[in-house]
Amino acid sequence: MKPRMKYLDDLRLAHVLADQADAVTMSRFRSDDLKVATKEDMTPVTDADRTTEETIRRQLSTARSRDSVYGEEMGTTGRSSRVWVIDPIDGTKNFLRGVPVWATLIALVEEGEVVVGVVSAPALGQRWWAAKGGGAFTGTSLQRNRQIHVSNISKLEDASLSYSSLTGWKERERLPHFMSLMDDVWRTRAYGDFWSYMMVAEGVVDIAAEPELEAYDMAALVPIVEEAGGRFSSLLGDPGPWAGNAVATNGLLHEEVLDRLDWPEEEE
């Protein structure tokens, strides 16, 4: 693991944050007294979500006091061009039902570019990470890891596609486009959330796409997919996690997937 030295300390810190988050989330996962509330957007939030974000913010206030923080549960604090983007539990619905497919997402954005990403899924026993220019990895620590790469699949009929649900595509009147793409690929599975994109980075899935996401859902995923050799963009092809939707591929399939989904510009 050889990320550029510029971000090595930040990557190390992100792993420390992930370790602390894992301790909180695993202590509450499948707990009999888990507290669940409904937010204004009608999505669920648990006490584990809030405690995890508070834990990460507390560590950052000491280790990176000049940096800003943007988190799902507590919004934005600070005004720095360096911003830590946090999703304390990506996959809260899985978490509260006892499904082990959920993760803490930790990213560092510098001048609008995501330069560090860590995805920690302790119930799966997996973690993925990348720093700009340093490659993408999976493993249990910075010392125990293997480098990952996207696939070399170049034809849709040989490709595996992962998604979260069909509802968003239907609401945006793009379900026929998505279903047509599903019909033409080799295999489809709804692995969902962060896991779809990590599988793209590992080369075991070739395409992942979602029509509605927040920046904190995507930021940590971007450098991992890209440093693994893939491409991560909006459904209009704009780079980064800022457009409210996403498609990730091994790069070879990207333009064809964008053409097939034919996302209208007015939806951006």
Side-chain angles (χ1 to χ4, degrees), residues 74-151:
M74 300 172 65
T76 301
T77 55
R79 302 179 65 180
S80 173
S81 61
R82 281 172 47 97
V83 185
W84 293 87
V85 182
I86 309 300
D87 188 345
I89 299 178
D90 183 57
T92 296
K93 292 178 182 178
N94 281 347
F95 185 91
L96 66 87
R97 287 296 300 270
V99 179
V101 184
W102 48 269
T104 296
L105 313 185
I106 300 168
L108 174 63
V109 177
E110 187 172 75
E111 301 289 349
E113 180 183 14
V114 190
V115 295
V116 170
V118 172
V119 172
S120 190
L124 294 177
Q126 291 188 265
R127 184 178 294 184
W128 302 261
W129 64 88
K132 183 182 176 183
F137 298 83
T138 187
T140 57
S141 71
L142 286 169
Q143 291 72 41
R144 301 181 65 182
N145 62 73
R146 63 179 175 87
Q147 191 165 4
I148 56 177
H149 304 277
V150 296
S151 74

Side-chain angles (χ1 to χ4, degrees), residues 75-233:
T76 301
T77 55
R79 302 179 65 180
S80 173
S81 61
R82 281 172 47 97
V83 185
W84 293 87
V85 182
I86 309 300
D87 188 345
I89 299 178
D90 183 57
T92 296
K93 292 178 182 178
N94 281 347
F95 185 91
L96 66 87
R97 287 296 300 270
V99 179
V101 184
W102 48 269
T104 296
L105 313 185
I106 300 168
L108 174 63
V109 177
E110 187 172 75
E111 301 289 349
E113 180 183 14
V114 190
V115 295
V116 170
V118 172
V119 172
S120 190
L124 294 177
Q126 291 188 265
R127 184 178 294 184
W128 302 261
W129 64 88
K132 183 182 176 183
F137 298 83
T138 187
T140 57
S141 71
L142 286 169
Q143 291 72 41
R144 301 181 65 182
N145 62 73
R146 63 179 175 87
Q147 191 165 4
I148 56 177
H149 304 277
V150 296
S151 74
N152 60 4
I153 299 297
S154 60
K155 296 180 180 180
L156 280 182
E157 58 261 36
D158 298 325
S160 178
L161 164 67
S162 181
Y163 62 99
S164 287
S165 75
L166 299 178
T167 303
W169 301 101
K170 182 178 180 181
E171 290 175 347
R172 287 155 186 80
E173 300 181 350
R174 279 298 178 274
L175 185 57
H177 296 74
F178 192 70
M179 293 292 291
S180 175
L181 179 62
M182 292 176 70
D183 286 340
D184 289 345
V185 298
W186 168 65
R187 190 173 193 244
T188 62
R189 288 292 185 273
Y191 297 115
D193 299 320
F194 71 93
W195 208 15
S196 296
Y197 300 89
M198 296 302 93
M199 288 190 186
V200 170
E202 289 198 55
V204 295
V205 165
D206 312 297
I207 305 163
E210 291 179 82
E212 184 178 15
L213 291 168
E214 299 292 339
Y216 48 72
D217 296 315
M218 296 182 277
L221 314 178
V222 174
I224 300 172
V225 170
E226 292 182 343
E227 289 294 326
R231 184 174 167 191
F232 190 109
S233 79

